[in-house]
Amino acid sequence: MSHAPIDPIALTADLIRCPSVTPEEGGALQLLEKLLSGAGFDCTRVDRNGTPNLFARWGRPCANRTFGFNGHTDVVPVGDAAAWTRDPFCGEIHDGWLWGRGATDMKSGVAAFVAAAIDFVRNTPPDGAIILTITGDEEGPGKDGTVALLDWMKAKGEAMSVCLVGEPTSPERLGDMMKIGRRGSLTCFIEATGVQGHSAYPHRAKNPLHALVRLLDRLASHELDRGTDHFDASTLALTTIDCGNPAGNVIPARASARLNIRFNDAHSVASLSKWLRAEAAQVEAETGVKFTLTIDISGESFLTPPGDFTRLVAGSVKAETGLDPALSTSGGTSDARFVKDHCPVVEFGLVGKTMHQVDERVEVAQIGQLKAIYSRILTDYFN
């Protein structure tokens, strides 16, 4: 029985019309589950703590080789809806662009891979399996999304040999960049506790602001590194300093600050945490002001070294676009930081210029081209 090819543009539009603002499912995963089930994929909802997730597999469990895809259907809030040129969930095409929240990040990527995977298994059933892990929690806390899917897979004996994450990765033209790793990220909350007093008698107080500023200067002035083979230099950014003091003649008892470190593979959360606490202890000894540090971990840095899998993806991109994608580790975090503990992972997707913006939109032609790239990746992987 012959089947018409799945149209990734129409599927993207249908997904955009699902108002799946984190943590709402909005009907997006239901739509995908129905489509994939109808094409012979075994689908399971792996919801955890109210977070919606979908696992879909074509082929037998524990196959010799299994190609995995990871993506998300949740989107960030629209912001001021009145500032949009068109309804944020219209999914309409105007002047060659498909409009709506999630058009770029990343309902188009999910639609392109789903369309490629369904057409592929219908036309050339592979010797192996294809797994899709689609979460509704990438834009949220990230604790019960892809992590929940991977936990469930481990418990069920399901595994991916390699995984492609369909996040937008191309800065200017589709095909100009793919991600083979990401920097790690941690946020440090610092609270300084001193002794309140009158600003005219500073010797009777213990000013937490002076100590905090001294510590922050030490941290911000420190060169973490100069980059590594595949990563730029690590960065530390101060993001806020607060004391909530309304009086000009009072030395406050407490002050706080927050900083974020984006770090390469020369560091780990453990090594950076040790350094932060050592610096705080030094200033505490010098000033008598007590520091309390709370460290929130977004993820460790990781790298998929250039090799067979990266060459496979890069070769497929070049065959369809004529571009040699740069192998990059730039940008923020993605769910690839969780997948990397399961199997080799790379990221490739659309141009991301409008993601998270008012009037988010994607060039219609890019969606079809992305499906063609994903189709070639599947063909080359199994053949």
Side-chain angles (χ1 to χ4, degrees):
M1 179 180 176
S2 61
H3 297 272
I6 302 296
D7 181 358
I9 299 164
L11 180 54
T12 302
D14 287 342
L15 288 171
I16 289 171
R17 295 185 190 109
C18 299
S20 52
V21 178
T22 304
E24 297 299 322
E25 188 271 334
L29 292 182
Q30 296 177 49
L31 189 161
L32 293 174
E33 182 176 3
K34 182 178 179 180
L35 183 62
L36 288 162
S37 295
F41 284 74
D42 292 320
C43 295
T44 305
R45 283 291 292 270
V46 189
D47 297 6
R48 189 168 80 180
N49 294 329
T51 296
N53 302 299
L54 176 66
F55 172 88
R57 174 180 35 77
W58 187 96
R60 66 186 186 279
C62 306
N64 248 354
R65 50 183 175 164
T66 300
F67 191 93
F69 176 83
N70 175 262
H72 65 91
T73 54
D74 63 317
V75 297
V76 297
V78 301
D80 181 6
W84 285 67
T85 303
R86 294 177 174 81
D87 186 316
F89 299 107
C90 67
E92 296 174 357
I93 295 174
H94 295 274
D95 299 324
W97 294 80
L98 177 58
W99 292 69
R101 177 60 86 219
T104 298
D105 188 13
M106 59 165 288
K107 290 181 173 180
S108 48
V110 170
F113 191 86
V114 167
I118 290 176
D119 287 356
F120 182 67
V121 300
R122 281 174 170 172
N123 296 326
T124 53
D127 177 20
I130 297 175
I131 284 177
L132 293 89
T133 52
I134 311 296
T135 181
D137 188 38
E138 198 275 344
E139 302 291 6
K143 299 183 185 300
D144 293 302
T146 294
V147 173
L149 284 159
L150 294 170
D151 288 345
W152 181 89
M153 288 173 62
K154 183 177 181 180
K156 296 293 184 180
E158 298 277 4
M160 300 179 287
S161 305
V162 294
C163 184
L164 174 68
V165 177
E167 288 282 358
T169 61
S170 305
E172 299 294 335
R173 296 174 58 193
L174 178 63
D176 59 7
M177 182 178 289
M178 58 186 278
K179 307 283 187 181
I180 62 169
R182 293 276 187 163
R183 296 177 297 174
S185 175
L186 70 80
T187 297
C188 181
F189 302 86
I190 304 173
E191 184 169 348
T193 303
V195 176
Q196 183 174 320
H198 197 297
S199 60
Y201 305 96
H203 58 286
R204 297 176 180 169
K206 199 173 289 183
N207 197 324
L209 282 166
H210 290 185
L212 181 61
V213 169
R214 184 184 299 186
L215 173 60
L216 296 178
D217 180 58
R218 289 172 67 117
L219 298 176
S221 301
H222 179 74
E223 182 181 76
L224 289 166
D225 56 73
R226 297 187 177 182
T228 62
D229 288 347
H230 294 284
F231 288 87
D232 291 335
S234 301
T235 60
L236 184 152
L238 304 178
T239 56
T240 187
I241 302 173
D242 303 288
C243 73
N245 181 13
N249 61 349
V250 174
I251 294 170
R254 290 181 177 82
S256 63
R258 184 174 64 233
L259 60 87
N260 179 258
I261 301 177
R262 300 295 171 125
F263 57 94
N264 59 34
D265 54 354
H267 308 276
S268 67
V269 169
S271 67
L272 289 169
S273 298
K274 182 178 179 181
W275 168 65
L276 289 167
R277 295 187 190 283
E279 292 292 319
Q282 179 67 35
V283 176
E284 186 172 301
E286 294 169 359
T287 64
V289 170
K290 179 176 176 55
F291 289 104
T292 302
L293 274 62
T294 303
I295 295 172
D296 183 44
I297 305 164
S298 294
E300 298 278 6
S301 67
F302 73 92
L303 177 73
T304 299
D308 290 344
F309 186 36
T310 59
R311 283 192 292 271
L312 169 75
V313 175
S316 298
V317 171
K318 184 172 184 179
E320 295 294 334
T321 67
L323 299 177
D324 283 307
L327 306 185
S328 174
T329 57
S330 62
T333 57
S334 75
D335 277 3
R337 71 189 189 273
F338 306 126
V339 180
K340 56 91 175 171
D341 293 325
H342 178 91
C343 67
V345 58
V346 300
E347 300 174 63
F348 178 76
L350 297 175
V351 175
K353 287 184 177 180
T354 68
M355 60 181 174
H356 293 204
Q357 294 184 358
V358 167
D359 284 347
E360 183 177 352
R361 59 199 182 277
V362 60
E363 285 187 274
V364 171
Q366 280 192 40
I367 304 174
Q369 198 173 14
L370 186 62
K371 177 188 174 182
I373 293 169
Y374 288 163
S375 296
R376 184 178 287 272
I377 290 172
L378 287 172
T379 299
D380 291 350
Y381 177 77
F382 286 105
N383 291 338

